[in-house]
Amino acid sequence: MARLIDRPAEHQDRSIVPRPAAPRCEHCGRPHGHTLRCLPDGRWLSPDGLWFSDEGDPAPWPDVVEYAGVRTSRSIVGLYRRRRAAAIEMSTEKAMERRWLCRRCHMVTARDEHRRVTRTRSLMRLALGDLFEGTYTI
């Protein structure tokens, strides 16, 4: 099956990927391309000067002690689709659903899938080592 990137530009279906002017994360509401101040508990300061929780709800201003742990983070929002594990549980139509998520929310919402893939890859490395070099002494 040809990927979207392999097809000539005149044959690509542009309706697949909606392109908003300035995408925001659908989970927490972070704007794309802004440098934000983030606290260790997940609160972040929007470019408008309002504090939001890690879920995107309005949050109280931090006190001086809490603000001492602030760090800056650049918010990058990308289009992600659900992974294989979600496709098994849901219909294929729902599993291919794409969402605008920031990197943080993508890693949080897809944590189980990332752990499954990491575990599978490490087990495959051990299996190849057993196949060609004998058993490991751990």
Side-chain angles (χ1 to χ4, degrees), residues 72-89:
T72 58
S73 174
R74 186 160 172 88
S75 175
I76 304 297
V77 177
L79 194 60
Y80 296 100
R81 64 180 171 83
R82 294 185 186 264
R83 299 288 183 191
R84 290 178 217 103
I88 293 169
E89 297 170 7

Side-chain angles (χ1 to χ4, degrees), residues 15-72:
S15 65
I16 293 174
V17 181
R19 299 291 297 190
R24 288 184 167 268
C25 177
E26 292 178 12
H27 189 258
C28 68
R30 293 180 189 209
H32 174 70
H34 290 276
T35 301
L36 306 172
R37 295 181 192 150
C38 303
L39 295 175
D41 65 356
R43 285 184 285 177
W44 54 277
L45 181 65
S46 72
D48 303 331
L50 301 172
W51 284 94
F52 290 95
S53 68
D54 56 350
E55 298 294 323
D57 301 323
W61 280 74
D63 60 5
V64 175
V65 176
E66 291 173 333
Y67 193 78
V70 76
R71 61 176 173 74
T72 58

Side-chain angles (χ1 to χ4, degrees), residues 8 22 36 67 85 114-116 118:
L36 306 172
Y67 193 78
H114 289 289
R115 285 183 178 165
R116 187 189 65 79
T118 302

Side-chain angles (χ1 to χ4, degrees), residues 82-112:
R82 294 185 186 264
R83 299 288 183 191
R84 290 178 217 103
I88 293 169
E89 297 170 7
M90 295 182 274
S91 66
T92 16
E93 178 181 306
K94 181 86 172 169
M96 295 306 289
E97 170 185 290
R98 295 178 178 171
R99 298 176 62 195
W100 289 101
L101 295 175
C102 64
R103 291 180 290 190
R104 179 189 175 280
C105 292
H106 168 66
M107 293 304 288
V108 168
T109 57
R111 179 175 289 144
D112 294 335

